[in-house]
């Protein structure tokens, strides 16, 4: 019979383990005078502390100062509209500090102590200076910042200097990542000294969300913007409509949503859209609208005939779908109906206002199916009557005419202020075509073919600015079961975070053209097409893989994923603490035993 | 300029669509006198109504009766301990009705009406008869039931007749699936008449959860049990410990969790374990404990030497891990230390009590690494001293001796009542070995090799009872990024629901042996190994694929996944309404346009 062992009851956990920093890794061992908590070790060990994405330059001490989140002071120097923005950014910073507490719930955490006098008296003093009055993000915005943390006696000073609001909010995000919770004292700790000089490698760092194949609640989109802010991503590309549904309320065109939503509960009201644009701006994020056309339309457009406008779209829900589009349901705009342009212009009018002020606009422009148009009497008659011809080139010509008209309508809607348009790679951008149909001073091309497609080189050599979303690395919907037929979906396998991290636009450009073309590569974007995702799984599809993307685009590291692994897991845990249901990529044992989950 | 269109404001959604039943499919079209809501169509159209898994036999009317969830009466006929169980099952049934309301939140829903008098006066009268006093699940339990729904005037009678509590609760689950919410009248509707005669195809229908690689909160396990109940799955196989962590509190061996948990917050207390066993029982689910040994141990076992018991486990966290185990971290029990058996026996004592009464016990028994033992001096000396030899067979012999001792310790812990033991396929079950080391009257073998492994046939021909978990179809952790190294994880690709559905144990047995061996095939189980999952993604990993498994094991359909597709999506939506964050497998358009997302 085994004698009962005199030992600690589980209530006395955690023990008996502690961590010590050894050559940049936190090593688990029996607790001693030289060990700390895991949180403290991760904050102080390693060149980047626990900051994600890795700053361009960071130095920090291996000491921490303890403080309570109620003891944070703020002093700001800013101009005009930037000041209220900065106030909100600091509020978000304070919220994020609360969320480090493991018992955070419902907006607050139960700080209970008891605390040493030194903890109670310690203050974290924020001192933020922003030079520039610009409160809108553009491709030219200076997002750089400097952050200096110093501790003297019972004061830790965090000095932020940035040209713009957007740099300053990134600095606050970095500062929040130099802070963590210390369970032993029920307080926060901040790295006692640090110098961060930071600037992003690319000006366009995006996440695409498709809200047409499945609907995502406003709350889940806000959560996505929160997580993007935690990773210094700056563009939420909203693929708001598609053939499947039209969830966008338009005040002047209520029929679009009336006919096009999945249900009355699955609609983005104009107020909600405006609020999301502002929600993003506070977090340093441009909410970029895409209105995909002339394909990828359908449901929502069925009301034209009844209202005397004729058919606005053709092939809507037409069967067998395989003949008329790439996935069910089908639909394309009716090029032969001039009223279609009236409606399109009206949609642009409202969208420009809802997303105001726009600095970019995404026209979509992918996957036009010529057979749809060429088997629709109204269109073929119109082609014949105008002597346009009926071969593929004839249709590409008319498609490019449509695109030019769309650009004019959008510009007109935007009070004649031209903004760069973004288009997906498509038949219009194929070999020898792109500069025939599209003007590189007016269009940016978003690449969704593979990272070895020679067309990427052609686009660069024709001076198109590009955004990378090559599906072999940056499509986050790949690798699940098929949704038509069986087996796995078209772009399988699943793209692991390592593949996402290692996808380097500059390396791709160099491989294809011999030059990195830095001036033309605006950045990149991970896409979540939502045939097989809704808000139940949104967070896990996007994160932490979106964080891997973020370090590629912010830091553009010269090394591969391996040195980033333990820090990425730390960032994943941070996102979970902030309410993001990110996927788990390793056993917790790997988080606690750095560097031992190798192959 | 486009004239503003006189049309419905979005507030007046939903419109203009309705659904009509056409040859078993709900077809979307313009609302008319002959269309209904989508919910009503799905409830009344098609041979199985919206019931998942498909009952052995079901007939139903195409009419519905409207009622309010407050107007449900109950009359029961039962014995002894079954009556309080049944009361709880009916309470859960009523909760599930509330959850159909789209505004359900925090335990209740805002039923607001106004209602017609006919709705207010309508009652749903439950009349449940259970013949048998048995309140514990076993492999012999009769889970069959009969359900008769009839409506006369303002009363819908639902009569349930079942041999056991377990059959009756399945009947209530079926009845809840003959109910749905009708938005137009803010009330529930029930199919006005139905006859269901139902019985499961297999007695063992399981989900495995590994809580050692990552921890899952009690709340998330309860959610899993809820979802299992919604699919009539009856076994929650709890792989509670492994090499990575030991999250199980033991009153008499507190050191196991003290040394073995990831943190003081990541522990299952004895109270929580007992509550989960009861939580499962109410839902018709056996909580089956696995204590995996002699491999897959490690963290938690490090305290032996300090407490004077010697090394209880060897190779714990040993490096390089590739030499001593299949994944980091390593660890195996120390066969040479008799004190190890004292501790193991004590663990069994507590586990038998915590999971009491057990009708099965899972010993694990997979993936022993001979090199670990054969490079450990204490073990090799012991092998030599006892003249056991040192070759592979010598170690297999000692492993089988360990297994027999384990079985005796477990039986002793269980007051000398023998229960069948379950073991994973392993070196001990390889060609020619299984019946040399293991007694088919005492052991059930859980198959995790592929569904084409000839060993399955050998096990059946040697009269072993088996449970299928062939990894090529029923491992739900496959298809994500690698967690050691790069690329995708070992058992990629992802197993889509179609592959899960089509995996037929009887067909596999027939292919391999020419006979279905129905008497030996107890059923099957989908496994979620948790190296790359925690509670953030638990629901999406398990569901709706676990529902596909459930129909295979409950109904064992002769057809493939195709006829089940629209009903599976309906079941997924039902689980979401009940708070399960199930994965999305198709655009909502497919849910609203049945049969059109084909290939």
């Amino acid at each position: 019979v085994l004698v009962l062992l005199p030992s600690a009851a589980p209530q006395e956990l955690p023990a008996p383990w502690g961590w010590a920093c050894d050559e940049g890794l936190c090593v688990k061992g029996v607790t001693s005078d030289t060990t700390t908590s895991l949180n403290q070790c991760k904050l102080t060990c390693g060149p980047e502390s626990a900051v994600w994405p890795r700053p361009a330059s960071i130095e920090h001490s291996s000491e921490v100062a303890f403080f309570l989140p109620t003891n944070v002071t703020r002093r700001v120097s800013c101009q005009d509209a930037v000041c209220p923005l900065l106030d909100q950014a600091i509020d978000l910073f304070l919220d994020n500090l609360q969320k480090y507490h493991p018992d955070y719930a419902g907006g607050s955490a139960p700080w209970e102590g008891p605390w040493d006098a030194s903890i109670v008296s310690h203050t974290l003093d924020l001192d933020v200076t922003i030079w520039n009055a610009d409160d809108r993000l553009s491709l030219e915005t200076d997002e750089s910042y400097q952050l200096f943390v110093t501790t003297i006696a019972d004061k830790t000073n965090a000095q932020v200097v940035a040209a713009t609001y957007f740099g300053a909010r990134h600095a606050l995000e970095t500062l929040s990542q130099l802070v963590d919770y210390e369970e032993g004292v029920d307080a926060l700790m901040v790295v006692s000294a640090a110098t961060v000089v930071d600037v992003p490698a690319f000006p366009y760092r995006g996440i695409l969300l498709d809200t047409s194949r499945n609907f995502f609640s406003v709350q889940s989109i806000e959560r996505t913007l929160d997580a993007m802010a935690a990773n210094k991503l700056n563009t939420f590309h909203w693929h708001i409509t598609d053939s499947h549904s039209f969830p966008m309320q338009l005040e002047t065109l209520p029929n679009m949503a009336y006919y096009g939503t999945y249900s009355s509960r699955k609609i983005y009201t104009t107020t909600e859209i405006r609020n999301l644009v502002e929600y993003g701006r506070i977090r340093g994020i441009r909410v970029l609208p895409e209105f995909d056309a002339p394909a990828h339309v359908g449901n929502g457009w069925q009301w034209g005939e009844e209202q005397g406008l004729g058919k606005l779209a053709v092939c809507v829900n037409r069967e067998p779908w395989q003949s008329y589009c790439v996935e069910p349901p089908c639909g394309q705009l009716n090029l032969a109906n001039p009223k279609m342009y009236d409606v399109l212009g009206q949609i642009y009018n409202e969208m420009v206002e809802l997303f105001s002020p726009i600095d970019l606009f995404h026209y979509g422009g992918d996957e036009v199916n010529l057979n749809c148009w060429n088997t629709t009497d109204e269109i073929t008659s119109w082609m014949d009557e105008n002597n346009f011809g009926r071969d593929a080139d004839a249709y590409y010509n008319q498609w490019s005419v449509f695109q030019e008209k769309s650009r004019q309508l959008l510009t007109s809607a935007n009070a004649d202020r031209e903004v760069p348009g973004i288009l997906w790679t498509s038949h219009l951008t194929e070999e020898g075509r792109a500069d025939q149909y599209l003007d590189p001073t007016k269009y940016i091309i978003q690449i969704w073919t593979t990272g070895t497609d020679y067309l990427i080189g052609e686009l660069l050599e024709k001076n198109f600015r590009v955004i990378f979303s090559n599906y072999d690395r940056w499509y986050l919907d790949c690798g699940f079961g098929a949704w038509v037929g069986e087996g796995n979906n078209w772009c399988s396998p699943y793209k692991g975070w390592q593949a996402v991290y290692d996808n380097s636009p500059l390396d791709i450009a160099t491989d294809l053209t011999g030059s990195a073309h830095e001036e033309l590569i605006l950045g990149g974007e991970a896409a979540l097409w939502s045939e097989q995702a809704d808000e139940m799984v949104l967070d896990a599809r996007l994160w932490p893989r979106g964080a891997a993307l973020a370090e590629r685009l912010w830091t553009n590291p010269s090394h591969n994923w391996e040195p980033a692994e333990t820090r990425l897991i730390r960032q994943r845990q941070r996102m979970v603490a902030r309410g993001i249901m990110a996927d788990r990529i390793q056993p917790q044992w790997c988080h606690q035993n750095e560097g031992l989950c190798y192959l």
Side-chain angles (χ1 to χ4, degrees), chain A:
Chain A
V1 176
L2 190 73
V3 176
L4 295 192
L5 299 167
S7 58
Q11 292 84 330
E12 297 171 42
L13 295 165
W17 311 115
W19 282 263
C21 184
D22 184 14
E23 297 188 9
L25 290 177
C26 293
V27 178
K28 185 177 175 180
V30 174
T31 310
S32 76
D33 290 350
T34 60
T35 61
T36 67
S37 68
L38 180 60
N39 279 0
Q40 186 173 340
C41 185
K42 287 192 183 260
L43 211 51
T44 55
C45 185
E48 305 92 357
S49 176
V51 181
W52 188 281
R54 196 188 82 200
S57 158
I58 176 170
E59 292 179 15
H60 64 86
S61 86
S62 57
E63 305 292 315
V64 297
F66 298 104
F67 70 104
L68 294 174
T70 42
N71 286 356
V72 180
T73 71
R74 60 176 93 181
R75 188 166 60 181
V76 300
S77 168
C78 52
Q79 300 168 58
D80 309 334
V82 166
C83 296
L85 274 178
L86 180 56
D87 257 359
Q88 293 179 80
I90 294 174
D91 291 345
L92 291 175
F93 168 82
L94 295 175
D95 281 350
N96 283 331
L97 297 193
Q98 293 287 341
K99 289 175 183 169
Y100 285 127
H101 196 294
D103 295 318
Y104 175 87
S108 66
W111 303 90
E112 288 179 345
W115 301 287
D116 286 353
S118 67
I119 293 179
V120 173
S121 64
H122 202 93
T123 60
L124 174 62
D125 303 320
L126 302 182
D127 182 352
V128 182
T129 302
I130 298 173
W131 299 109
N132 183 314
D134 199 1
D135 64 336
R136 297 290 168 173
L137 191 66
S138 78
L139 292 174
E140 285 72 45
T141 298
D142 181 348
E143 296 179 85
S144 71
Y145 67 89
Q146 298 183 317
L147 167 65
F148 308 98
V149 179
T150 51
T151 300
I152 298 172
D154 61 358
K155 291 189 181 305
T156 295
N157 180 265
Q159 191 183 352
V160 170
V161 182
T164 69
Y165 168 71
F166 300 94
R169 78 138 307 273
H170 294 325
L172 290 168
E173 180 57 48
T174 298
L175 179 59
S176 79
Q177 300 186 5
L178 294 170
V179 174
D180 207 344
Y181 178 75
E182 181 64 272
E183 184 125 34
V185 295
D186 191 33
L188 293 171
M189 55 190 157
V190 57
V191 172
S192 61
T195 299
V196 183
V197 180
D198 203 4
V199 59
F202 296 99
Y204 184 107
R205 305 179 306 278
I207 293 283
L208 174 149
L209 183 65
D210 161 13
T211 60
S212 174
R213 274 63 177 255
N214 279 302
F215 183 82
F216 295 80
S217 70
V218 167
Q219 189 182 31
S220 72
I221 294 176
E222 288 176 349
R223 217 164 56 227
T224 299
L225 295 168
D226 292 343
M228 289 177 66
N231 290 283
K232 302 188 177 81
L233 291 166
N234 71 356
T235 304
F236 178 73
H237 172 173
W238 194 352
H239 184 87
I240 191 165
T241 62
D242 209 294
S243 305
H244 299 66
S245 73
F246 196 107
M248 175 170 55
Q249 181 190 14
L250 295 173
E251 307 275 1
T252 62
L253 290 167
N255 269 331
M256 300 302 301
Y258 179 68
Y259 281 78
T261 56
Y262 283 133
S263 87
S264 59
R265 294 166 180 274
K266 300 203 164 175
I267 189 168
Y268 303 106
T269 68
T270 53
T271 304
E272 287 170 336
I273 294 170
R274 284 192 193 92
N275 288 347
L276 280 170
V277 170
E278 182 64 10
Y279 193 97
R281 192 168 68 105
I282 295 163
R283 287 158 183 78
I285 298 164
R286 158 201 299 115
V287 176
L288 168 67
E290 174 179 354
F291 191 80
D292 200 352
H296 291 288
V297 302
N299 288 286
W301 288 84
Q302 303 102 318
W303 50 272
E305 288 173 291
E306 190 177 291
Q307 302 279 347
L309 301 183
K311 268 200 163 147
L312 299 171
V314 297
C315 309
V316 178
N317 300 337
R318 190 168 169 191
E319 292 285 336
W321 64 265
Q322 286 94 334
S323 299
Y324 310 109
C325 59
V326 293
E327 70 180 51
C330 300
Q332 284 179 193
L333 291 181
N334 183 359
L335 295 189
N337 182 357
K339 293 280 198 299
M340 175 273 286
Y341 287 104
D342 294 342
V343 176
L344 185 63
Q346 189 61 38
I347 291 172
Y348 287 156
N349 284 343
E350 277 217 38
M351 288 184 76
V352 163
E353 189 273 319
L354 288 173
F355 292 85
S356 169
I358 56 167
D359 72 311
L360 297 169
F361 188 85
H362 205 303
Y363 295 97
D366 54 323
E367 298 188 315
V368 167
N369 182 302
L370 299 191
N371 194 53
C372 158
W373 281 337
N374 202 36
T375 55
T376 300
D377 289 347
E378 188 175 342
I379 301 216
T380 55
S381 304
W382 173 74
M383 294 289 280
D384 292 342
E385 282 161 19
N386 289 282
N387 294 315
F388 291 148
R390 293 268 297 278
D391 62 4
D393 279 342
Y395 281 108
Y396 293 144
N397 274 327
Q398 289 313 306
W399 175 5
S400 72
V401 169
F402 164 86
Q403 183 53 50
E404 177 59 17
K405 287 190 184 176
S406 298
R407 202 186 61 77
Q408 289 170 3
L409 288 169
L410 191 279
T411 305
S412 166
N414 198 36
D416 293 327
R417 288 187 296 268
E418 286 203 7
V419 296
I422 308 177
L423 283 170
W424 294 105
T425 48
S426 73
H427 288 298
L428 288 193
T429 65
E430 278 180 5
E431 189 180 2
R433 286 202 186 121
D435 56 347
Q436 175 186 342
Y437 294 124
L438 303 169
D439 178 345
T441 69
K442 298 187 186 312
Y443 289 106
I444 295 162
I445 307 298
Q446 185 164 7
I447 294 158
W448 67 276
T449 56
T450 67
T452 54
D453 190 342
Y454 76 103
L455 282 167
I456 297 170
E458 189 176 294
L459 289 168
L460 292 169
E461 283 164 356
K462 289 180 173 172
N463 266 318
F464 281 97
R465 287 165 296 171
V466 299
I467 294 162
F468 276 75
S469 296
N470 46 307
Y471 79 79
D472 54 338
R473 297 301 191 94
W474 285 354
Y475 267 27
L476 301 185
D477 54 316
C478 305
F480 294 89
W483 66 273
V484 287
E486 59 193 355
N488 288 76
N489 63 16
W490 74 275
C491 56
S492 291
Y494 183 88
K495 317 306 174 198
W497 79 270
Q498 303 96 326
V500 172
Y501 192 93
D502 287 353
N503 189 53
S504 164
L506 298 189
D507 288 353
I508 291 172
T510 305
D511 288 348
L512 289 168
T513 69
S515 157
H517 287 286
E518 291 187 21
E519 73 292 356
L520 293 175
I521 298 178
L522 300 178
E525 184 167 280
L528 182 57
W529 301 104
S530 70
E531 285 87 350
Q532 298 180 273
D534 67 10
E535 63 183 298
M536 296 295 122
V537 297
L538 173 63
D539 297 16
R541 291 282 200 283
L542 291 179
W543 316 105
R545 293 185 295 168
L549 172 89
E551 185 149 302
R552 170 56 54 198
L553 294 173
W554 181 274
T555 318
N556 198 26
S558 55
H559 55 71
N560 79 348
W561 59 270
E562 289 180 78
E565 184 179 42
T566 59
R567 199 163 33 84
L568 178 70
I569 297 172
R570 177 70 193 81
Q571 174 73 346
R572 185 268 180 185
Q573 299 297 86
R574 180 183 288 124
M575 285 192 279
V576 169
R578 292 190 187 178
I580 311 300
M581 293 186 290
D583 209 349
R584 183 99 211 188
I585 56 174
Q586 287 192 330
Q588 188 164 354
W589 189 86
C590 305
H591 185 57
Q592 296 189 352
N593 292 272
E594 292 190 351
L596 293 183
C597 292
Y598 62 92
L599 191 63

